[in-house]
Amino acid sequence: MDELQKSSKIAISGMKAQSERLRVISENLANADSLARTPDGTPYKRKVISFKSELDRANGYTGVKVDKVRPDASEFQRRYDPKHPAADRDGYVLAPNVNPLIEMMDMREAQRSYEANLNVINSSKQLLSRTVEMLRP
């Protein structure tokens, strides 16, 4: 496997990982306002994603892949809403541990990483195309 193919394979693995990260972030944002339905219930719990490097021994490159998608260990938020059916005796309702601002920053970072990997693939294609053009008689 030549270097251009290796760089493309590495970039593709990065794009797949960031695509999964964007899916998890989107799910978090979609559930940012999901409250519990009963006083003893729990609201949506934010999910976080972790990655690990993956060695392709046959082709001699290391890519990235999703390791785990797990619940965030941070505590739920509390909102004062005594009329809500899930309110405790003090009038507080547990709310998801999702901060939309943080999710949007994470989304932007994942998007930029995805775009950077896409640029690597496009640059590899251009280099290959120019090389073929140079070799033509």
Side-chain angles (χ1 to χ4, degrees):
M1 180 176 273
D2 70 0
E3 295 304 313
L4 286 176
Q5 286 178 320
K6 285 182 187 178
S7 64
S8 292
K9 293 278 188 182
I10 292 167
I12 288 168
S13 74
M15 288 174 67
K16 287 179 181 177
Q18 293 305 326
S19 178
E20 182 66 16
R21 182 178 177 200
L22 286 166
R23 188 195 64 73
V24 169
I25 292 168
S26 296
E27 184 178 329
N28 288 340
L29 283 169
N31 289 290
D33 293 323
S34 302
L35 301 175
R37 296 175 195 251
T38 61
D40 57 340
T42 56
Y44 175 82
K45 192 161 197 107
R46 178 179 186 252
K47 294 179 182 176
V48 291
I49 191 167
S50 61
F51 303 105
K52 67 178 180 181
S53 53
E54 179 179 54
L55 175 64
D56 184 338
R57 293 182 196 276
N59 296 311
Y61 70 89
T62 302
V64 65
K65 71 179 245 179
V66 173
D67 183 27
K68 295 177 187 170
V69 176
R70 58 181 171 71
D72 186 352
S74 64
E75 294 194 18
F76 291 119
Q77 299 175 24
R78 290 177 45 152
R79 294 184 188 160
Y80 185 71
D81 187 358
K83 294 182 181 181
H84 193 279
D88 63 13
R89 66 175 181 257
D90 298 323
Y92 286 95
V93 178
L94 290 179
N97 56 348
V98 176
N99 182 334
L101 181 61
I102 290 173
E103 298 300 324
M104 292 302 292
M105 290 186 317
D106 285 350
M107 182 179 281
R108 192 75 181 132
E109 181 183 344
Q111 180 183 11
R112 287 183 178 162
S113 181
Y114 185 94
E115 289 170 357
N117 284 304
L118 183 60
N119 286 336
V120 168
I121 291 170
N122 288 335
S123 294
S124 295
K125 283 175 155 179
Q126 288 175 354
L127 284 171
L128 187 60
S129 178
R130 287 182 187 156
T131 303
V132 169
E133 285 178 24
M134 289 174 50
L135 294 173
R136 287 188 183 157

